[in-house]
C-alpha cells in the first residue's frame, strides 16, 4: 500500500479546453452513502464535448467540474445505515441519482426526473478522481469474476439495455443499428443478447464498421454520400426483409431518416443519438406506416440487467476498450478520445506505488 498521505487527485475541467489534474478534498459519506476508491473510468463523448465546448444544450460549465461518469470502484468507507455494501466490495456506479420524490419517480420513470444529480453534468462533479461519494443504492456489487473495467462499461451498456427495451426487442427480431460508435456497438451487443437474429449496422467510417463486423455485426453498410431511401433498400436486401426496429445512435439527420424509411410498417424507431435541436424527418412515412418513433434517455433499472449480461457471458464488452491510461495521464487520454482513435478510452484512477 502507498505510504504517503492520501489525497484526492481529480481531473477537473476549469474552463473550455482547460482540463487539469488537481487535488480536491476527500469527500466523506453521509447516511446511506458510500465512499468509493475509484478504479476505472471510461471517457464518454459527453466528457469530451464539455471539455471542448464547455456546454451541451442548456448544461453549461460555469464552475470547475470533475469529469467522468462511466465508473467502477472499491468501497473505502460506508455511511450510517448502509447494509448491502461493505469496505472492500467492488462496485459499478450508476451515475444519475434522481430526487426520489417527484411524479416521474412515483410513476416509476426515474430517468425522466428533472432534479437528477448526474455525474459530470454541471453543476455535479464526476468520478475522475481517487475518491467519490455516492448514494449506496446506486452502487452495484460486482461478482468476483466481473472485472472493474467491465463494471465501468455497465454504464454505456445500460444506455443500450434501455434503448433495446424501448425498441421492444425479442427473440427473432431483425435490428438496424445506425452509428457504430461505442453506443451503437453496445446496442448491437445488447440487441443480440435480447434475442435479435440479425443486426445490420451503419456508419460513415470504414474503420468503425470493420470493428463492428469483428464484434459480430451480420452486415455493415457505409452510408457516406448515400440517399437514405437507397440505403433503406440495401438494409432490406441484407436482411431479406425490413428490420423490426431501428436504433439510431449517431444523431445525424440523414441517419434518423434512414431509421424511419428502413423500419417495417408497425415497427419502432428508437432515437438515442443526440444531433441538432430540430431536424427534418419523413414524418408522413412514419405516420402512414405506423412506425413508432420513441426517444430513449439514459436508463432506469438497467444496471442489474447490464451486469447480469456481462456476468453470464452473454455480452462481452471487453473488446470495446482500445486504450488505457492512468489518471496522471488524463490529458493524454482525453486527447486520444478527442481525435476519435479506437473505441473506448479507459482511465485507471487507482493510486499506484
Ligand atoms: P460517437 O460519436 O463515438 O459515435 C457516433 C457514430 O456515428 C460515429 O462512429 C460516426 O462516424 C457515426 N456517424 C456519423 N454520421 C453518421 C451517419 N450519417 N450514419 C451513420 N453513422 C454516422 O458517439 P457515441 O459515444 O457512440 O454516442 C452516440 C450518440 O449517442 C451521441 O450523440 C451521444 O450524445 C448519444 N448518447 C445518448 C444517450 C441517451 O441517453 N439518449 C446516452 C449516451 C449517448
Ligand atoms: O452515459 C450517459 C450519457 N448521456 C448522454 C450522452 C453521453 N452519455 N446524453 C446526451 C446529452 N444529454 S443532455 O440531456 N445533457 C447534457 C444532460 O443533453 C444527456 C444524455
Ligand atoms: Zn455517457
Amino acid at each position: 500500500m502507498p505510504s504517503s498521505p492520501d489525497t484526492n487527485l481529480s481531473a477537473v475541467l476549469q474552463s473550455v479546453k482547460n482540463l487539469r489534474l488537481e487535488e480536491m478534498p476527500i469527500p466523506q459519506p453521509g447516511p446511506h452513502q458510500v465512499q468509493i476508491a475509484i478504479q476505472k473510468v471510461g471517457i464518454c463523448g459527453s466528457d469530451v464535448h464539455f471539455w471542448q465546448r464547455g456546454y451541451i444544450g442548456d448544461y453549461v460549465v460555469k464552475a470547475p467540474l470533475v469529469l467522468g461518469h462511466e465508473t467502477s470502484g472499491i468501497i473505502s468507507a460506508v455511511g450510517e445505515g448502509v447494509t448491502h455494501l461493505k469496505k472492500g466490495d467492488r462496485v459499478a456506479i450508476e451515475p444519475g441519482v434522481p430526487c426520489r420524490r417527484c411524479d416521474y419517480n412515483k410513476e416509476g420513470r426515474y430517468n425522466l426526473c428533472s432534479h437528477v444529480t448526474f455525474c459530470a453534468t454541471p453543476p455535479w462533479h464526476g468520478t475522475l478522481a481517487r475518491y467519490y461519494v455516492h448514494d449506496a443504492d446506486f452502487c452495484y456489487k460486482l461478482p468476483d469474476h466481473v472485472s472493474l473495467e467491465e463494471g465501468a462499461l455497465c454504464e454505456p451498456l445500460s444506455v443500450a439495455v434501455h434503448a433495446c427495451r424501448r425498441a421492444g426487442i425479442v427473440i427473432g427480431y431483425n435490428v438496424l443499428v445506425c452509428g457504430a460508435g461505442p453506443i451503437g456497438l453496445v446496442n448491437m451487443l445488447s440487441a443480440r443478447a435480447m434475442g435479435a437474429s440479425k443486426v445490420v449496422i451503419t456508419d460513415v467510417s470504414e474503420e468503425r464498421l470493420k470493428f463492428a463486423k469483428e464484434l459480430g455485426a451480420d452486415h455493415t453498410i457505409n452510408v457516406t454520400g448515400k440517399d437514405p431511401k437507397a440505403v433503406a433498400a440495401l438494409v432490406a436486401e441484407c436482411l431479406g426483409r425490413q428490420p423490426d426496429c431501428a436504433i439510431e445512435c449517431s444523431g445525424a439527420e440523414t441517419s434518423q431518416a434512414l431509421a424511419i424509411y428502413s423500419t417495417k410498417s408497425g415497427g419502432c424507431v428508437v432515437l438515442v443519438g443526440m444531433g441538432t435541436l430540430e431536424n427534418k424527418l419523413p414524418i408522413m412515412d412514419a405516420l402512414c406506416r405506423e412506425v413508432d418513433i420513441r426517444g430513449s434517455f439514459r436508463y432506469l433499472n438497467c444496471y442489474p440487467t447490464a451486469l447480469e449480461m456481462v456476468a453470464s457471458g452473454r455480452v462481452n464488452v471487453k473488446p470495446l476498450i482500445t486504450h488505457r491510461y492512468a489518471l496522471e495521464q488524463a490529458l493524454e487520454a482525453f486527447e486520444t478520445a478527442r481525435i476519435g482513435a479506437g473505441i473506448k478510452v479507459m482511465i485507471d484512477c487507482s493510486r499506484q506505488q
Side-chain angles (χ1 to χ4, degrees):
M1 284 293 284
S3 50
S4 51
D6 220 353
T7 59
N8 189 21
L9 189 69
S10 307
V12 188
L13 180 61
Q14 288 292 343
S15 54
V16 183
K17 297 188 183 175
N18 183 8
L19 179 65
R20 285 191 227 158
L21 284 166
E22 281 183 14
E23 292 298 346
M24 301 276 282
I26 298 178
Q28 299 302 323
H32 304 289
Q33 291 186 320
V34 287
Q35 182 196 62
I36 305 144
I38 300 296
Q39 300 297 303
K40 308 288 179 181
V41 180
I43 300 181
C44 171
S46 68
D47 295 314
V48 176
H49 203 286
F50 279 125
W51 172 45
Q52 285 298 302
R53 303 272 178 87
Y55 71 93
I56 301 178
D58 294 339
Y59 295 85
V60 183
V61 180
K62 295 179 182 155
L65 181 77
V66 178
L67 294 176
H69 61 266
E70 300 179 358
T71 321
S72 68
I74 302 174
I75 303 295
S76 45
V78 298
E80 198 188 310
V82 176
T83 52
H84 82 291
L85 291 171
K86 59 180 187 312
K87 199 174 163 179
D89 282 346
R90 299 153 65 255
V91 292
I93 302 174
E94 179 174 349
V97 179
C99 79
R100 302 169 192 270
R101 299 180 66 83
C102 71
D103 287 346
Y104 291 113
N105 282 274
K106 288 193 270 185
E107 286 165 12
R109 298 189 74 174
Y110 72 80
N111 61 321
L112 302 182
C113 169
S114 56
H115 313 286
V116 65
T117 62
F118 198 96
C119 299
T121 296
W124 308 105
H125 283 313
T127 54
L128 266 170
R130 297 276 195 241
Y131 291 101
Y132 186 78
V133 160
H134 205 61
D135 282 13
D137 58 336
F138 279 71
C139 297
Y140 302 85
K141 191 172 174 343
L142 299 176
D144 289 345
H145 69 284
V146 173
S147 72
L148 287 156
E149 288 187 336
E150 290 172 305
L153 289 172
C154 281
E155 201 281 336
L157 186 56
S158 293
V159 171
V161 168
H162 184 56
C164 290
R165 283 180 178 166
R166 296 279 290 159
I169 292 175
V170 290
I171 291 176
Y173 256 39
N174 280 354
V175 179
L176 169 66
V177 174
C178 304
I183 294 296
L185 294 173
V186 286
N187 269 284
M188 180 181 84
L189 296 175
S190 176
R192 182 80 78 205
M194 289 181 179
S197 291
K198 285 189 193 161
V199 182
V200 183
I201 192 161
T202 65
D203 208 289
V204 289
S205 154
E206 259 323 304
E207 204 181 333
R208 290 217 153 166
L209 290 173
K210 185 167 175 277
F211 196 96
K213 187 84 184 160
E214 283 163 13
L215 203 64
D218 296 289
H219 302 278
T220 59
I221 300 176
N222 191 330
V223 299
T224 310
K226 294 192 180 109
D227 170 61
K229 274 189 180 168
V231 182
L234 281 179
V235 171
E237 196 183 310
C238 284
L239 295 169
R241 59 181 163 105
Q242 287 181 293
D244 299 279
C245 66
I247 304 178
E248 205 302 308
C249 303
S250 78
E253 187 175 77
T254 50
S255 187
Q256 292 168 340
L258 168 68
I260 294 172
Y261 285 135
S262 300
T263 301
K264 76 172 191 188
S265 298
C268 180
V269 169
V270 173
L271 301 177
V272 181
M274 298 266 176
T276 46
L277 280 182
E278 290 182 17
N279 283 349
K280 187 166 172 264
L281 294 177
I283 290 297
M284 282 305 282
D285 184 64
L287 181 157
C288 294
R289 299 191 304 107
E290 292 198 355
V291 172
D292 293 343
I293 301 173
R294 308 187 106 192
S296 187
F297 191 71
R298 294 172 176 155
Y299 33 72
L300 77 159
N301 304 318
C302 291
Y303 259 71
T305 304
L307 190 47
E308 192 54 41
M309 281 173 162
V310 171
S312 64
R314 284 183 178 84
V315 165
N316 181 9
V317 284
K318 285 181 190 167
L320 297 175
I321 304 170
T322 51
H323 295 79
R324 292 178 173 83
Y325 294 91
L327 180 57
E328 290 82 348
Q329 303 168 295
L331 288 171
E332 220 181 305
F334 268 77
E335 189 53 26
T336 302
R338 188 187 69 78
I339 63 172
I343 300 294
K344 183 56 69 183
V345 178
M346 188 64 69
I347 300 186
D348 184 341
C349 293
S350 66
R351 199 167 168 229
Q352 310 297 315
Q353 280 283 28

